Amino acid sequence: MKTAASTSLSPTGQQVWARARGALTVIALLVAAGITMAALRSDGGFGRLDPRSTAPTGSRAAAELLKDQGVSVYPVTTLGDALAAAGSDATLLVTDPGLLSHAQQDALHHAMSTTGGRTVLLAPDRDTLRGLVPEVATEPPVPVTPLDPACSLPTADRAGDAELGGHRYTTGTRGADLCYPRGGAATLLRLDAGAGGETVLLGAPDLLYNDRLDEHGNASLALQLLGAHPELIWYMPSFGDTSAGTTPAPDDSVDGDRNGDGAADREHGPGDRAGGRPGEESSFLDLVPDGWVWGTVQLGVAALLAAVWRARRLGPLVTERLPVSIPASETAEGRARLYRQVGARERASASLRSAARARLAPLLGVASADTHTPDALVPAVAARLSQDADRDAHALLFGPAPADDAALIRLADQLDALEREVRTS
């Protein structure tokens, strides 16, 4: 007598491993790829226009060139730190002024007119200019293309043509420099601010990108605009910045080294500065980190490869060992009960007639293509039977559905009798 253990259908450990090793291999490859990508991108995980980012849209190249010229670069992500570090001997770069609240704009506008340094605003729009530089109007933006200076500003004249565009600006203020015009409006505008300072508006930030800095006069223009003073406060606004004109006491991470040699910046390294995602995030995809995008692509490729792997044919089909063998008669009986339960007499009669025609056609020499064609099958049946069989065969094989269960049973019996008569004729 067989024991329960000998007849158990539970998979063995070897079978479980054989089934799971493919999925485990895919998971291991994904983990390894993720670790490799994280290691390769560990120094480029900062945001757009970040002076620590080596990504194509980062600005580390410009920051390094400025440091080589003796300019100390201080990345900050709060307005309080930016205003605390600003002064007459510093340039304040605002990468996305459009992220500032109205209170922050008022605080920055006050600082621009009192500190006496240079303020560079990247791509400010109409709403932003109302709070920061109300005397400047905007025109519809244009694509970024190489443009000639076409102005008397020495900085632009020395740089020559540069890649500018985006927002365009006009002003009636006397003494303003309107450079790199496009369609009658400037894409670079410089005007005097209070306390001997000045404000520079750039219609687009593209010339500061790592992959655009070496084209045309982009590098020359960027270094001259941002390197006019020994210190550069690189302010990257973010939605998480809630400071509005507050000026907390500067700590060592922002203002600990104000002697112009940038030693503190080099000593602490890029990871010790205040973090935060800068501006230029105008769509949902811009808000999604690059790692998630590449991870989603990898998962899609892995899913596709897994589908191909599971769908491939390794050889001829084999009979699968079933836990229970069910006789064909029981299967037919079970289907019949289902038909009866839902009252599917039409479907049941169609199944009976189709099976009968399929068995009769080879017996009568009818081609398989004409098995279910009345004009071919009925005459062949009538030729084997009596003269009245033509009408009867057509009604049996291609007639309407039975009206009740009794008629369905009679149809089944008549089909059996018809097939038996054909076989014995």
Side-chain angles (χ1 to χ4, degrees):
M1 181 177 180
K2 295 183 179 180
T3 63
S6 63
T7 59
S8 174
L9 299 176
S10 301
T12 63
Q14 185 176 2
Q15 290 174 331
V16 172
W17 166 248
R19 297 173 184 175
R21 62 185 178 185
L24 293 177
T25 301
V26 173
I27 294 175
L29 290 176
L30 287 176
V31 172
I35 295 175
T36 302
M37 290 186 62
L40 293 176
R41 297 173 61 86
S42 59
D43 63 339
F46 301 102
R48 187 177 300 178
L49 290 172
D50 195 308
R52 300 159 295 184
S53 174
T54 58
T57 55
S59 298
R60 184 169 180 176
E64 293 298 327
L65 291 177
L66 288 167
K67 291 179 182 179
D68 292 342
Q69 292 187 353
V71 178
S72 299
V73 181
Y74 300 97
V76 297
T77 56
T78 64
L79 182 60
D81 290 340
L83 298 183
S88 59
D89 59 344
T91 299
L92 174 60
L93 170 66
V94 185
T95 60
D96 195 344
L99 294 182
L100 300 176
S101 65
H102 292 298
Q104 291 174 326
Q105 291 178 5
D106 293 340
L108 179 58
H109 177 67
H110 176 72
M112 290 165 57
S113 58
T114 56
T115 56
R118 170 179 286 182
T119 303
V120 181
L121 305 177
L122 297 184
D125 55 17
R126 180 176 302 176
D127 295 334
T128 305
L129 291 177
R130 289 196 187 106
L132 296 178
V133 195
E135 61 269 28
V136 176
T138 61
E139 296 292 336
V142 295
V144 174
T145 56
L147 299 175
D148 293 327
C151 67
S152 58
L153 181 65
T155 298
D157 184 63
R158 287 191 293 266
D161 65 319
E163 291 186 306
L164 285 168
H167 294 282
R168 297 177 296 155
Y169 309 106
T170 59
T171 183
T173 305
R174 296 182 58 183
D177 294 300
L178 291 87
C179 302
Y180 298 96
R182 181 80 179 273
T187 58
L188 185 154
L189 187 147
R190 189 211 66 85
L191 67 163
D192 295 328
E198 58 182 349
T199 301
V200 178
L201 309 179
L202 280 177
D206 297 50
L207 60 84
L208 295 179
Y209 291 157
N210 290 328
D211 62 345
R212 307 287 282 273
L213 190 66
D214 61 344
E215 299 180 5
H216 302 279
N218 294 349
S220 175
L221 182 61
L223 295 182
Q224 293 183 76
L225 291 177
L226 304 181
H229 298 285
E231 296 177 356
L232 171 62
I233 312 304
W234 198 298
Y235 173 37
M236 298 167 288
S238 64
F239 290 110
D241 179 16
T242 58
S243 61
T246 58
T247 55
D251 56 17
D252 293 339
S253 64
V254 176
D255 201 23
D257 177 27
R258 299 300 301 270
N259 58 8
D261 59 1
D265 185 64
R266 290 189 294 271
E267 177 181 355
H268 292 286
D272 296 334
R273 299 288 180 187
R277 190 168 182 85
E280 298 250 336
E281 298 169 337
S282 57
S283 68
F284 174 76
L285 291 179
D286 292 330
L287 297 174
V288 178
D290 293 340
W292 285 101
V293 176
W294 284 108
T296 303
V297 172
Q298 288 187 28
L299 288 176
V301 174
L304 180 61
L305 293 177
V308 173
W309 166 61
R310 297 298 296 175
R312 76 191 192 282
R313 287 284 300 274
L314 299 179
L317 296 176
V318 297
T319 303
E320 182 180 1
R321 184 170 62 89
L322 299 177
V324 178
S325 298
I326 301 176
S329 59
E330 292 187 12
T331 304
E333 186 176 353
R335 179 175 295 183
R337 288 197 185 100
L338 292 176
Y339 282 156
R340 182 177 183 180
Q341 184 176 0
V342 298
R345 287 185 293 272
E346 182 177 356
R347 177 66 66 85
S349 62
S351 179
L352 291 173
R353 284 168 168 154
S354 177
R357 292 194 297 265
R359 291 191 296 268
L360 288 172
L363 298 175
L364 300 172
V366 177
S368 59
D370 298 329
T371 298
H372 304 289
T373 304
D375 295 339
L377 185 62
V378 172
V381 173
R384 291 285 191 95
L385 305 177
S386 61
Q387 295 180 352
D388 296 335
D390 193 340
R391 185 181 70 254
D392 296 339
H394 189 280
L396 286 176
L397 296 174
F398 298 97
D404 51 29
D405 291 347
L408 179 62
I409 295 174
R410 287 195 301 272
L411 174 63
D413 293 339
Q414 291 170 355
L415 289 174
D416 287 340
L418 177 64
E419 183 178 351
R420 192 162 47 248
E421 188 174 355
V422 170
R423 289 181 181 275
T424 58
S425 61

